[in-house]
Amino acid sequence: MINSGDERDVVVLAIADQAARSVMRVELEKAGLTVIEVDDGRGACKAFREHNPALVLLAHDLPVQDGFAACVGIRRSPRGVAAPVLMLVPDGDVDSVRRAYRAGATDYIVSPIDWLVFAHRLRYVLRASKDYQRLRHIEIKNDVLLNALPDCVVVLDRDDMVTDFVPGQFKSPLPAQPDGPFRIGDWLPASIAQAWTNAQRTVCRSGKPVSMEFALDDLDGRRSYYEARFTQSIDDSIVATVSEITDRKRADQRIRRLAFYDNLTGLPNRQAFRHQVDGLLRDARETDSRVAVVCIDLDNFKRINDTLGHTIGDGVLRSVAERLSKSVRRRSDCGREDEIPTGVARLGGDEFAFAIHDFDDDGVLRSIAERVGDQLRKPVTHAGHEFVVTPSIGISVFPEDGESVEELLKNADVAMYQAKDAGRDRVRFYSGTMSIRSMHGLALERDLRKALDRDAFELHYQPKLELESGKLVGAEALIRWQDEEGSFIPPGTFIPAAEESGLIIPIGDWILREACRQANRWHQKYSAAPRIAVNISSQQFYQSDLQQTVMKALFEAGARPSLLQLELTESILMRDVDKTIAMLEYLKNTGITLAIDDFGTGYSSLSYLKRFPIDALKIDRSFVMDLEASNDSATICSAIIAMARELGLTVIAEGVETIPQADFLRAQECDQIQGYLFSKPLPATEFEQRFLAGSDTRFALGTAG
Ligand code: C2E
Ligand code: MG
Ligand code: MG
């Protein structure tokens, strides 16, 4: 059978002699074909048009129009270009064979026919014709697809000549293709062409697809990025598709910067530093050498911030960062590279660090630390003010002071605190007996204990508004400590001491209970009661049974879990990922919502957040504060908002103080804002009077609190 499918192929059989036709018909039908008989050339053309046959058999000597003319006619019709046409010619009639080919016949068959080979001939002619048609079809489809693709497609032969070129559609177009035959070097700059050729060779060698990225600058110096993917075709030619990846690349760079670099100084951040030191420790274990971690904290820096404001504080931090980087990079005086510090990192606030490897003895460490101190101590002039910034420096050394980055950082920190206790502006090496608690710390701890006993803590509430509607949607509970004289001590001063002493656990307990009680009170009284957000410190998260504490607080207050939001810091997410996820999932399943506080200051990247079941992100105040002054902050805010949206998270901007900031955030479709623009944190009664007792719970943004 020639036919494999259900539908039988049609053959037009054009022979003048009735008897010969009948014999042939029987043979063709045996071969599984449906036969349309005609007895002259014109009939053959007509039957071809009407029946769209898979094959045409023409006798050369047909009446009216001979076989050759009929063949030409068929070839001229639109569908006839590729149809298989066989010409029947007498054995030995070379002239007819020649004429048949000239008329466009696919092949010829001699009469008298050899019936044994006839069916095979037909089968092969039909198969070849079908293959041809399938290929044509694929080719047409590919053409359509290629022209519809935004990508540029380049086909190269074995000699690296470009044989096919589809320019693609790009925002920043690639260079135009040269006229006439060309090589990649005639089209792209030499260095890229070289990398391109290397990639091609790799594909040829391995047979596997390879890709490369390259960048081109336009006349205005704008850089665009492209990715070329190479595959080998069956005929050994190489097909390269080039796509533009500028947007992706920019987003990658932004995320990397957000994840690994400190926004203010441009220095690597804590996470980047940990990576660096991790690498050094690995090498040191192999070579049996030592690594020192040096922590630097600026003395009394807070005073600059508090008295002259953050803008000047930030400027000072930038100059310090620059000086530190320069002084650390200097080689030893004898010119030998016997001490190779890694770059300086900013760990947070006014804390910097760097690591030293390949040093001979501790004297080298001390001299580097002292050199850094000398550099920092030189007066800094900023915005018309002159400052002298002194550093307290702590050093820990692998392997004696710790095996891991965390341990080394912690112990360098302990040594740094000792330098501060000893009067600041000095260098201290870690020694196992050091204790982080200074006398001051102890006094504060005693006062905190007393405050807890005497109920001297209070919660203030700061509203969160939905930007679009101006509706009150939440309130953040912020702790206040009223001292003996009745003035409030801000949490920034005592929370760290509470964390250090472990007192944060009972204090945190109290905060949760109080916040739940308040949430329920308001919920009972007002239909539009806000959800209350409570800050959770990492000690609380890891050292106490937080699930139980939270559930107990809710239960005792009779409050629904949905009235509570927990604000967690990025550092919590970095610790024990599996445990954290399990804990967060438990909390989330009860109906509590989870937010990441101060986002952007820590070390987590947005892609990292995907793994945690969180509901909301709070963009740190430092970015919002700088919105008007710094392009970077605006870019980071937009990037955080856009990507949070992609992850389905609610975005809350903290510390919104001005209308232009609110306008910018609204334009970026930030969900909620919190800040002095609308209200400072208020005692519960005042909060209630201002935001809940009135009939309207929508507020116009712009009335400063
Ligand atoms: P946070 O959780 O990021 O809280 C926001 C801080 O920004 C609050 O400072 C708030 O008063 C302040 N703030 C809000 N809007 C603005 C604004 O427009 N401009 C400016 N300049 N500041 C604004 P606060 O109350 O001093 O708290 C400082 C930090 O202390 C909090 O940062 C939080 O980390 C911690 N904290 C406060 N209360 C608690 C608590 O109950 N438990 C724990 N564990 N930590 C707390
Ligand atoms: Mg908070
Ligand atoms: Mg915050």
Side-chain angles (χ1 to χ4, degrees):
M1 288 278 283
I2 289 172
N3 261 348
S4 51
D6 294 339
E7 221 174 275
R8 291 158 69 95
D9 282 323
V10 172
V11 57
V12 168
L13 175 62
I15 299 178
D17 180 57
Q18 159 86 56
R21 249 183 7 236
S22 300
V23 178
M24 185 81 94
R25 173 183 202 118
V26 174
E27 287 301 322
L28 290 169
E29 283 178 345
K30 260 202 260 168
L33 294 159
T34 299
V35 181
I36 309 287
E37 288 181 39
V38 290
D39 56 8
D40 65 35
R42 194 163 295 153
C45 291
K46 186 160 171 273
F48 180 82
R49 281 195 304 275
E50 281 168 5
H51 297 282
N52 188 24
L55 179 75
V56 183
L57 258 170
L58 299 172
H60 75 293
D61 54 352
L62 290 170
V64 186
Q65 209 177 36
D66 66 13
F68 309 114
C71 185
V72 169
I74 287 170
R75 284 283 179 252
R76 276 202 194 120
S77 68
R79 279 207 307 257
V81 181
V85 179
L86 292 184
M87 194 76 74
L88 212 55
V89 296
D91 196 7
D93 182 355
V94 180
D95 186 47
S96 289
V97 170
R98 198 178 305 126
R99 286 183 67 197
Y101 280 130
R102 213 178 295 141
T106 312
D107 209 345
Y108 66 92
I109 295 178
V110 291
S111 60
I113 289 170
D114 178 349
W115 295 111
L116 272 180
V117 294
F118 181 67
H120 291 290
R121 282 291 294 281
L122 285 193
R123 195 174 295 135
Y124 287 116
V125 169
L126 269 175
R127 193 200 287 166
S129 147
K130 280 184 181 162
D131 283 348
Y132 174 79
Q133 263 157 17
R134 211 174 302 125
L135 279 178
R136 256 313 277 163
H137 187 71
I138 292 172
E139 205 171 27
I140 290 168
K141 205 165 82 186
N142 280 349
D143 262 4
V144 171
L145 279 177
L146 282 182
N147 286 310
L149 270 181
D151 294 355
C152 161
V153 181
V154 186
V155 183
L156 301 114
D157 66 13
R158 258 186 266 187
D159 303 318
D160 294 345
M161 291 303 292
V162 176
T163 56
D164 214 342
F165 187 93
V166 183
Q169 295 149 25
F170 296 133
K171 261 199 290 185
S172 333
L174 290 164
Q177 73 189 101
D179 293 331
F182 70 98
R183 292 172 189 279
I184 292 304
D186 306 324
W187 174 51
L188 293 176
S191 62
I192 299 173
Q194 183 58 53
W196 177 295
T197 313
N198 293 345
Q200 247 174 268
R201 300 277 174 275
T202 312
V203 176
C204 292
R205 229 180 304 118
S206 67
K208 296 201 183 91
V210 167
S211 63
M212 66 172 263
E213 288 182 9
F214 60 89
L216 290 171
D217 292 332
D218 67 11
L219 292 176
D220 300 327
R222 260 195 313 265
R223 178 155 291 194
S224 303
Y225 295 88
Y226 304 87
E227 180 182 56
R229 290 183 303 275
F230 299 84
T231 41
Q232 193 168 24
S233 193
I234 31 174
D235 59 353
D236 274 354
S237 62
I238 297 285
V239 181
T241 37
V242 184
S243 3
E244 189 180 348
I245 54 166
T246 309
D247 289 346
R248 193 181 87 198
K249 207 75 187 161
R250 294 259 146 80
D252 275 359
Q253 284 167 350
R254 214 175 291 151
I255 289 170
R256 254 192 90 72
R257 253 199 21 217
L258 212 53
F260 287 112
Y261 288 88
D262 167 47
N263 180 45
L264 177 71
T265 58
L267 292 179
N269 65 11
R270 186 183 284 265
Q271 186 176 14
F273 183 67
R274 284 182 3 191
H275 273 300
Q276 275 178 2
V277 177
D278 245 350
L280 292 181
L281 292 181
R282 257 197 311 275
D283 294 347
R285 276 185 206 108
E286 270 170 28
T287 55
D288 236 352
S289 56
R290 300 164 79 207
V291 175
V293 169
V294 182
C295 269
I296 301 161
D297 193 273
L298 308 182
D299 298 328
N300 296 321
F301 179 74
K302 200 173 165 302
R303 219 157 43 201
I304 299 181
N305 246 351
D306 290 350
T307 51
L308 298 167
H310 286 274
T311 318
I312 291 192
D314 288 353
V316 173
L317 283 176
R318 271 194 218 103
S319 334
V320 166
E322 200 175 308
R323 264 191 207 184
L324 259 175
S325 305
K326 275 194 195 134
S327 62
V328 161
R329 234 178 265 134
R330 227 187 66 184
R331 304 226 163 109
S332 69
D333 294 332
C334 56
R336 206 161 68 86
E337 283 189 56
D338 57 350
E339 30 161 292
I340 310 172
T342 60
V344 175
R346 180 171 177 226
L347 301 185
D350 55 351
E351 214 182 319
F352 298 84
F354 62 92
I356 307 172
H357 58 111
D358 282 352
F359 54 92
D360 297 334
D361 59 68
D362 294 357
V364 175
L365 298 182
R366 182 170 291 278
S367 73
I368 296 178
E370 274 165 6
R371 188 176 72 212
V372 167
D374 289 344
Q375 287 303 315
L376 288 189
R377 233 169 270 127
K378 290 183 186 159
V380 188
T381 319
H382 192 84
H385 301 267
E386 195 181 73
F387 308 93
V388 175
V389 185
T390 60
S392 293
I393 300 178
I395 302 176
S396 65
V397 180
F398 168 85
E400 51 265 45
D401 299 338
E403 285 283 326
S404 64
V405 188
E406 279 74 25
E407 232 177 317
L408 290 165
L409 268 172
K410 196 184 94 213
N411 289 339
D413 218 44
V414 169
M416 188 269 291
Y417 273 111
Q418 233 227 352
K420 285 211 190 279
D421 281 349
R424 302 197 164 95
D425 191 14
R426 59 200 67 212
V427 182
R428 279 287 180 274
F429 281 83
Y430 175 75
S431 83
T433 55
M434 280 181 178
S435 158
I436 191 164
R437 270 179 234 165
S438 61
M439 288 312 288
H440 178 65
L442 279 176
L444 191 59
E445 191 182 320
R446 203 181 43 231
D447 291 348
L448 274 173
R449 272 185 213 286
K450 257 198 267 169
L452 196 58
D453 290 343
R454 292 184 195 157
D455 233 358
F457 294 119
E458 195 177 309
L459 289 186
H460 283 192
Y461 296 88
Q462 189 179 29
K464 295 181 187 173
L465 294 199
E466 194 172 65
L467 244 180
E468 205 183 67
S469 62
K471 241 171 72 183
L472 174 76
V473 282
E476 177 170 10
L478 294 155
I479 193 167
R480 298 292 179 261
W481 175 14
Q482 208 163 9
D483 67 11
E484 316 266 68
E485 281 96 55
S487 52
F488 285 111
I489 305 169
T493 11
F494 67 87
I495 292 278
E499 286 177 337
E500 209 168 277
S501 60
L503 277 172
I504 191 69
I505 309 278
I507 296 177
D509 254 27
W510 176 85
I511 297 169
L512 271 167
R513 275 184 281 125
E514 179 57 26
C516 290
R517 271 198 298 268
Q518 192 56 268
N520 193 48
R521 242 178 261 144
W522 283 337
H523 180 65
Q524 298 297 332
K525 244 169 120 178
Y526 305 104
S527 57
R531 168 184 283 151
I532 293 190
V534 172
N535 292 283
I536 300 294
S537 95
S538 61
Q539 262 89 343
Q540 247 176 307
F541 196 86
Y542 282 107
Q543 286 173 14
S544 71
D545 190 352
L546 185 66
Q547 285 132 301
Q548 218 189 341
T549 314
V550 171
M551 294 323 288
K552 212 166 137 224
L554 283 168
F555 180 76
E556 280 174 12
R560 300 181 183 174
S562 61
L563 290 174
L564 185 65
Q565 180 165 71
L566 300 182
E567 290 192 5
L568 313 166
T569 58
E570 289 173 74
S571 60
I572 290 180
L573 306 187
M574 301 298 296
R575 288 269 284 273
D576 181 344
V577 175
D578 293 335
K579 190 173 160 200
T580 307
I581 291 178
M583 174 100 104
L584 297 183
E585 240 143 35
Y586 173 90
L587 291 168
K588 191 176 163 126
N589 282 338
T590 65
I592 293 172
T593 53
L594 304 169
I596 300 302
D597 206 353
D598 306 339
F599 186 78
T601 56
Y603 1 109
S604 49
S605 63
L606 278 158
S607 51
Y608 186 79
L609 285 188
K610 255 196 238 165
R611 311 166 57 184
F612 300 92
I614 51 175
D615 305 278
L617 273 193
K618 298 187 75 176
I619 304 181
D620 188 63
R621 193 152 62 86
S622 58
F623 299 114
V624 176
M625 189 170 74
D626 275 1
L627 269 183
E628 288 148 273
S630 146
N631 263 341
D632 257 7
S633 288
T635 313
I636 287 171
C637 277
S638 326
I640 294 178
I641 294 169
M643 279 180 274
R645 192 175 318 129
E646 219 162 90
L647 298 180
L649 302 176
T650 302
V651 193
I652 304 157
E654 300 184 299
V656 180
E657 294 186 355
T658 67
I659 292 180
Q661 287 166 354
D663 286 344
F664 175 87
L665 292 162
R666 188 182 292 115
Q668 300 300 316
E669 295 177 36
C670 175
D671 302 299
Q672 298 174 17
I673 59 167
Q674 175 185 347
Y676 293 173
L677 170 64
F678 187 57
S679 170
K680 290 199 166 163
L682 300 172
T685 42
E686 227 173 291
F687 184 95
E688 184 169 344
Q689 272 163 16
R690 255 191 78 183
F691 301 112
L692 299 171
S695 55
D696 197 0
T697 50
R698 280 168 198 271
F699 300 92
L701 296 175
T703 38

